[in-house]
Short mmCIF file of all heavy atoms in Angstrom, two decimals:
data_model
loop_
_atom_site.label_atom_id
_atom_site.label_comp_id
_atom_site.label_asym_id
_atom_site.label_seq_id
_atom_site.Cartn_x
_atom_site.Cartn_y
_atom_site.Cartn_z
N LEU H 1 0.84 -1.17 -0.01
CA LEU H 1 0.02 -0.01 0.03
C LEU H 1 0.90 1.29 0.06
O LEU H 1 1.86 1.27 0.70
CB LEU H 1 -0.89 0.06 1.29
CG LEU H 1 -2.16 -0.82 1.23
CD1 LEU H 1 -1.79 -2.26 1.25
CD2 LEU H 1 -3.01 -0.49 2.39
N GLY H 2 0.44 2.24 -0.76
CA GLY H 2 1.16 3.46 -0.80
C GLY H 2 0.53 4.42 -1.78
O GLY H 2 -0.11 3.99 -2.74
N PRO H 3 0.77 5.74 -1.67
CA PRO H 3 0.27 6.73 -2.57
C PRO H 3 0.97 6.59 -3.89
O PRO H 3 2.00 5.89 -4.08
CB PRO H 3 0.62 8.01 -1.89
CG PRO H 3 1.78 7.73 -1.09
CD PRO H 3 1.59 6.33 -0.62
N SER H 4 0.43 7.24 -4.97
CA SER H 4 1.08 7.32 -6.20
C SER H 4 2.50 7.85 -6.05
O SER H 4 2.69 8.92 -5.41
CB SER H 4 0.31 8.17 -7.16
OG SER H 4 -1.01 7.69 -7.33
N GLY H 5 3.46 7.25 -6.74
CA GLY H 5 4.80 7.67 -6.70
C GLY H 5 5.64 7.13 -5.50
O GLY H 5 6.78 7.48 -5.32
N ALA H 6 5.01 6.22 -4.72
CA ALA H 6 5.64 5.69 -3.58
C ALA H 6 6.83 4.60 -3.94
O ALA H 6 7.64 4.37 -3.15
CB ALA H 6 4.69 5.10 -2.53
N GLY H 7 6.69 4.09 -5.15
CA GLY H 7 7.61 3.10 -5.57
C GLY H 7 6.97 1.65 -5.77
O GLY H 7 7.79 0.70 -5.92
N LYS H 8 5.72 1.50 -5.80
CA LYS H 8 5.04 0.28 -5.83
C LYS H 8 5.33 -0.42 -7.15
O LYS H 8 5.73 -1.61 -7.16
CB LYS H 8 3.56 0.41 -5.61
CG LYS H 8 3.14 1.06 -4.33
CD LYS H 8 1.60 0.96 -4.01
CE LYS H 8 0.72 1.64 -5.05
NZ LYS H 8 1.03 3.13 -5.19
N THR H 9 5.11 0.24 -8.26
CA THR H 9 5.26 -0.39 -9.59
C THR H 9 6.80 -0.70 -9.86
O THR H 9 7.13 -1.67 -10.37
CB THR H 9 4.79 0.55 -10.71
OG1 THR H 9 3.39 0.78 -10.46
CG2 THR H 9 4.93 -0.11 -12.09
N THR H 10 7.68 0.16 -9.32
CA THR H 10 9.13 -0.07 -9.48
C THR H 10 9.51 -1.34 -8.78
O THR H 10 10.28 -2.16 -9.26
CB THR H 10 9.88 1.07 -8.84
OG1 THR H 10 9.60 2.30 -9.61
CG2 THR H 10 11.37 0.83 -8.91
N LEU H 11 8.88 -1.63 -7.57
CA LEU H 11 9.23 -2.79 -6.79
C LEU H 11 8.74 -4.05 -7.56
O LEU H 11 9.45 -5.09 -7.55
CB LEU H 11 8.57 -2.69 -5.39
CG LEU H 11 9.09 -3.72 -4.39
CD1 LEU H 11 10.60 -3.61 -4.17
CD2 LEU H 11 8.38 -3.53 -3.05
N ILE H 12 7.60 -3.94 -8.18
CA ILE H 12 7.08 -5.13 -8.99
C ILE H 12 8.07 -5.34 -10.13
O ILE H 12 8.37 -6.58 -10.45
CB ILE H 12 5.70 -4.82 -9.56
CG1 ILE H 12 4.66 -5.01 -8.44
CG2 ILE H 12 5.31 -5.75 -10.64
CD1 ILE H 12 3.24 -4.81 -8.88
N LYS H 13 8.54 -4.38 -10.81
CA LYS H 13 9.43 -4.53 -11.90
C LYS H 13 10.75 -5.22 -11.42
O LYS H 13 11.38 -6.05 -12.12
CB LYS H 13 9.74 -3.24 -12.55
CG LYS H 13 8.58 -2.65 -13.36
CD LYS H 13 8.93 -1.36 -14.06
CE LYS H 13 7.75 -0.91 -14.89
NZ LYS H 13 8.03 0.38 -15.54
N ILE H 14 11.12 -4.90 -10.19
CA ILE H 14 12.41 -5.51 -9.66
C ILE H 14 12.12 -6.99 -9.38
O ILE H 14 12.95 -7.89 -9.66
CB ILE H 14 12.85 -4.78 -8.44
CG1 ILE H 14 13.40 -3.43 -8.87
CG2 ILE H 14 13.85 -5.60 -7.71
CD1 ILE H 14 13.74 -2.51 -7.67
N VAL H 15 11.00 -7.28 -8.68
CA VAL H 15 10.71 -8.68 -8.34
C VAL H 15 10.52 -9.63 -9.56
O VAL H 15 10.98 -10.74 -9.49
CB VAL H 15 9.33 -8.76 -7.50
CG1 VAL H 15 8.88 -10.11 -7.29
CG2 VAL H 15 9.56 -8.01 -6.17
N THR H 16 9.99 -9.07 -10.66
CA THR H 16 9.78 -9.85 -11.88
C THR H 16 10.99 -9.82 -12.80
O THR H 16 10.95 -10.36 -13.83
CB THR H 16 8.54 -9.34 -12.65
OG1 THR H 16 8.67 -7.93 -12.89
CG2 THR H 16 7.30 -9.57 -11.83
N GLY H 17 12.08 -9.19 -12.40
CA GLY H 17 13.28 -9.26 -13.23
C GLY H 17 13.33 -8.24 -14.38
O GLY H 17 14.23 -8.33 -15.17
N GLN H 18 12.28 -7.30 -14.45
CA GLN H 18 12.26 -6.34 -15.51
C GLN H 18 13.21 -5.22 -15.21
O GLN H 18 13.58 -4.48 -16.16
CB GLN H 18 10.92 -5.78 -15.66
CG GLN H 18 9.79 -6.73 -15.99
CD GLN H 18 8.39 -6.14 -15.87
OE1 GLN H 18 8.08 -5.31 -16.81
NE2 GLN H 18 7.58 -6.56 -14.99
N LEU H 19 13.66 -5.05 -13.97
CA LEU H 19 14.52 -4.06 -13.56
C LEU H 19 15.51 -4.52 -12.57
O LEU H 19 15.07 -5.23 -11.57
CB LEU H 19 13.72 -2.88 -12.98
CG LEU H 19 14.40 -1.55 -12.60
CD1 LEU H 19 14.99 -0.87 -13.77
CD2 LEU H 19 13.43 -0.55 -11.92
N ARG H 20 16.75 -4.25 -12.75
CA ARG H 20 17.76 -4.72 -11.73
C ARG H 20 17.93 -3.52 -10.71
O ARG H 20 18.19 -2.44 -10.99
CB ARG H 20 19.07 -4.96 -12.42
CG ARG H 20 19.15 -6.23 -13.23
CD ARG H 20 20.48 -6.75 -13.50
NE ARG H 20 20.51 -8.01 -14.20
CZ ARG H 20 21.54 -8.72 -14.41
NH1 ARG H 20 22.75 -8.28 -14.03
NH2 ARG H 20 21.47 -9.90 -15.02
N PRO H 21 17.86 -3.98 -9.40
CA PRO H 21 18.07 -2.96 -8.42
C PRO H 21 19.41 -2.39 -8.31
O PRO H 21 20.43 -3.06 -8.64
CB PRO H 21 17.67 -3.72 -7.12
CG PRO H 21 17.96 -5.13 -7.36
CD PRO H 21 17.71 -5.34 -8.86
N THR H 22 19.47 -1.20 -7.87
CA THR H 22 20.84 -0.59 -7.69
C THR H 22 21.65 -1.31 -6.61
O THR H 22 22.89 -1.52 -6.71
CB THR H 22 20.74 0.91 -7.19
OG1 THR H 22 19.83 1.61 -8.12
CG2 THR H 22 22.10 1.61 -7.12
N LYS H 23 20.91 -1.87 -5.59
CA LYS H 23 21.50 -2.66 -4.53
C LYS H 23 20.49 -3.54 -3.89
O LYS H 23 19.26 -3.36 -3.99
CB LYS H 23 21.97 -1.65 -3.41
CG LYS H 23 22.54 -2.30 -2.16
CD LYS H 23 22.82 -1.27 -1.03
CE LYS H 23 23.29 -1.94 0.25
NZ LYS H 23 23.50 -1.00 1.31
N GLY H 24 20.96 -4.71 -3.37
CA GLY H 24 20.09 -5.66 -2.76
C GLY H 24 19.83 -6.95 -3.53
O GLY H 24 20.24 -6.99 -4.65
N SER H 25 19.12 -7.84 -2.95
CA SER H 25 18.90 -9.13 -3.65
C SER H 25 17.41 -9.46 -3.64
O SER H 25 16.61 -9.02 -2.70
CB SER H 25 19.69 -10.26 -2.84
OG SER H 25 19.14 -10.46 -1.57
N VAL H 26 17.02 -10.18 -4.72
CA VAL H 26 15.60 -10.69 -4.84
C VAL H 26 15.60 -12.12 -5.17
O VAL H 26 16.30 -12.57 -6.10
CB VAL H 26 15.01 -9.89 -6.01
CG1 VAL H 26 13.51 -10.30 -6.16
CG2 VAL H 26 15.13 -8.36 -5.90
N LEU H 27 14.77 -12.88 -4.39
CA LEU H 27 14.60 -14.27 -4.64
C LEU H 27 13.11 -14.43 -5.03
O LEU H 27 12.26 -14.04 -4.15
CB LEU H 27 15.01 -15.12 -3.55
CG LEU H 27 16.46 -15.18 -3.17
CD1 LEU H 27 16.71 -16.03 -1.96
CD2 LEU H 27 17.32 -15.63 -4.41
N THR H 28 12.77 -15.11 -6.15
CA THR H 28 11.42 -15.43 -6.41
C THR H 28 11.34 -16.96 -6.52
O THR H 28 11.98 -17.59 -7.44
CB THR H 28 10.95 -14.78 -7.78
OG1 THR H 28 11.12 -13.33 -7.65
CG2 THR H 28 9.57 -15.12 -8.10
N ASN H 29 10.59 -17.50 -5.60
CA ASN H 29 10.45 -19.00 -5.49
C ASN H 29 11.88 -19.63 -5.39
O ASN H 29 12.20 -20.65 -5.99
CB ASN H 29 9.75 -19.56 -6.74
CG ASN H 29 9.18 -20.93 -6.41
OD1 ASN H 29 8.97 -21.32 -5.28
ND2 ASN H 29 8.79 -21.67 -7.47
N GLY H 30 12.76 -18.95 -4.66
CA GLY H 30 14.09 -19.40 -4.39
C GLY H 30 15.17 -19.13 -5.47
O GLY H 30 16.34 -19.53 -5.30
N ILE H 31 14.72 -18.48 -6.55
CA ILE H 31 15.63 -18.17 -7.67
C ILE H 31 15.86 -16.71 -7.74
O ILE H 31 14.93 -15.95 -7.65
CB ILE H 31 14.97 -18.64 -9.00
CG1 ILE H 31 14.66 -20.12 -8.92
CG2 ILE H 31 15.99 -18.36 -10.15
CD1 ILE H 31 15.85 -21.07 -8.72
N PRO H 32 17.16 -16.21 -7.89
CA PRO H 32 17.40 -14.78 -8.09
C PRO H 32 16.59 -14.31 -9.29
O PRO H 32 16.58 -14.97 -10.34
CB PRO H 32 18.89 -14.76 -8.28
CG PRO H 32 19.48 -15.97 -7.59
CD PRO H 32 18.41 -17.05 -7.79
N ALA H 33 16.03 -13.04 -9.15
CA ALA H 33 15.20 -12.57 -10.19
C ALA H 33 15.98 -12.43 -11.55
O ALA H 33 15.43 -12.70 -12.65
CB ALA H 33 14.65 -11.15 -9.85
N ALA H 34 17.27 -12.15 -11.50
CA ALA H 34 18.08 -12.03 -12.73
C ALA H 34 18.28 -13.34 -13.45
O ALA H 34 18.63 -13.38 -14.56
CB ALA H 34 19.43 -11.39 -12.39
N GLU H 35 17.98 -14.45 -12.70
CA GLU H 35 18.19 -15.72 -13.28
C GLU H 35 16.93 -16.44 -13.69
O GLU H 35 16.95 -17.70 -13.95
CB GLU H 35 19.01 -16.63 -12.31
CG GLU H 35 20.37 -16.07 -11.99
CD GLU H 35 21.15 -16.90 -10.91
OE1 GLU H 35 20.71 -18.08 -10.67
OE2 GLU H 35 22.13 -16.37 -10.43
N MET H 36 15.81 -15.76 -13.61
CA MET H 36 14.49 -16.44 -13.93
C MET H 36 14.50 -16.88 -15.44
O MET H 36 14.93 -16.16 -16.30
CB MET H 36 13.37 -15.48 -13.69
CG MET H 36 13.17 -15.19 -12.17
SD MET H 36 11.97 -13.90 -11.81
CE MET H 36 10.44 -14.73 -12.40
N THR H 37 13.97 -18.07 -15.61
CA THR H 37 13.91 -18.67 -16.97
C THR H 37 12.55 -18.41 -17.60
O THR H 37 11.59 -17.96 -16.91
CB THR H 37 14.13 -20.12 -16.85
OG1 THR H 37 13.08 -20.74 -16.12
CG2 THR H 37 15.50 -20.43 -16.16
N GLY H 38 12.47 -18.77 -18.81
CA GLY H 38 11.22 -18.69 -19.60
C GLY H 38 10.12 -19.47 -18.93
O GLY H 38 8.99 -19.10 -18.92
N ALA H 39 10.50 -20.65 -18.47
CA ALA H 39 9.52 -21.57 -17.85
C ALA H 39 8.92 -20.96 -16.60
O ALA H 39 7.76 -21.09 -16.32
CB ALA H 39 10.18 -22.90 -17.52
N MET H 40 9.80 -20.21 -15.81
CA MET H 40 9.30 -19.53 -14.63
C MET H 40 8.37 -18.40 -14.96
O MET H 40 7.33 -18.23 -14.30
CB MET H 40 10.46 -19.01 -13.80
CG MET H 40 11.36 -20.12 -13.22
SD MET H 40 12.74 -19.43 -12.25
CE MET H 40 11.84 -18.69 -10.93
N TYR H 41 8.73 -17.65 -16.04
CA TYR H 41 7.83 -16.51 -16.42
C TYR H 41 6.50 -17.00 -16.89
O TYR H 41 5.46 -16.32 -16.71
CB TYR H 41 8.50 -15.73 -17.52
CG TYR H 41 9.43 -14.71 -16.92
CD1 TYR H 41 10.85 -14.81 -17.27
CD2 TYR H 41 9.07 -13.75 -16.15
CE1 TYR H 41 11.82 -13.86 -16.86
CE2 TYR H 41 10.04 -12.74 -15.68
CZ TYR H 41 11.30 -12.86 -16.08
OH TYR H 41 12.25 -12.00 -15.58
N ARG H 42 6.41 -18.27 -17.38
CA ARG H 42 5.09 -18.75 -17.87
C ARG H 42 4.17 -19.07 -16.63
O ARG H 42 2.97 -19.32 -16.90
CB ARG H 42 5.39 -20.07 -18.64
CG ARG H 42 5.98 -19.86 -20.01
CD ARG H 42 6.22 -21.19 -20.73
NE ARG H 42 6.89 -20.91 -21.97
CZ ARG H 42 6.13 -20.78 -23.15
NH1 ARG H 42 4.83 -20.84 -23.13
NH2 ARG H 42 6.76 -20.54 -24.32
N ARG H 43 4.73 -19.10 -15.42
CA ARG H 43 3.87 -19.41 -14.25
C ARG H 43 3.55 -18.09 -13.51
O ARG H 43 3.15 -18.15 -12.32
CB ARG H 43 4.57 -20.41 -13.34
CG ARG H 43 4.76 -21.76 -13.93
CD ARG H 43 3.58 -22.37 -14.63
NE ARG H 43 2.40 -22.38 -13.85
CZ ARG H 43 2.10 -23.42 -13.04
NH1 ARG H 43 2.93 -24.40 -12.96
NH2 ARG H 43 0.96 -23.36 -12.40
N ILE H 44 3.81 -17.00 -14.11
CA ILE H 44 3.54 -15.68 -13.50
C ILE H 44 2.43 -15.06 -14.32
O ILE H 44 2.45 -15.03 -15.51
CB ILE H 44 4.81 -14.80 -13.44
CG1 ILE H 44 5.88 -15.37 -12.57
CG2 ILE H 44 4.45 -13.30 -13.07
CD1 ILE H 44 7.17 -14.57 -12.54
N GLY H 45 1.45 -14.46 -13.58
CA GLY H 45 0.45 -13.65 -14.17
C GLY H 45 0.53 -12.18 -13.76
O GLY H 45 0.95 -11.95 -12.65
N MET H 46 0.23 -11.28 -14.66
CA MET H 46 0.34 -9.85 -14.36
C MET H 46 -0.83 -9.07 -14.84
O MET H 46 -1.22 -9.28 -16.00
CB MET H 46 1.70 -9.30 -14.93
CG MET H 46 3.01 -9.87 -14.36
SD MET H 46 4.47 -9.04 -14.88
CE MET H 46 4.25 -7.54 -13.85
N MET H 47 -1.38 -8.23 -14.04
CA MET H 47 -2.35 -7.19 -14.43
C MET H 47 -1.87 -5.80 -13.92
O MET H 47 -1.95 -5.53 -12.74
CB MET H 47 -3.69 -7.60 -13.80
CG MET H 47 -4.83 -6.59 -14.05
SD MET H 47 -6.30 -7.01 -13.20
CE MET H 47 -7.36 -5.59 -13.57
#
């Protein structure tokens, strides 16, 4: 939750590997976001 411009959409882009963070680590289902495969993306839905 947060107002417009709080960084919510940016965080989603980082979690889904669309954007690499300046610092820090992201694991999605145990896999670093930067290493997500096509098969993993097929199990993600986005609206």
Side-chain angles (χ1 to χ4, degrees):
L1 282 68
S4 299
K8 302 189 299 296
T9 302
T10 298
L11 195 58
I12 284 183
K13 289 181 178 180
I14 289 173
V15 172
T16 54
Q18 300 175 67
L19 185 64
R20 288 198 176 188
T22 306
K23 176 186 174 185
S25 65
V26 184
L27 296 178
T28 302
N29 204 17
I31 305 296
E35 299 176 15
M36 290 175 65
T37 64
M40 291 181 65
Y41 279 114
R42 287 176 181 271
R43 300 311 308 274
I44 293 176
M46 297 190 72
M47 178 183 174

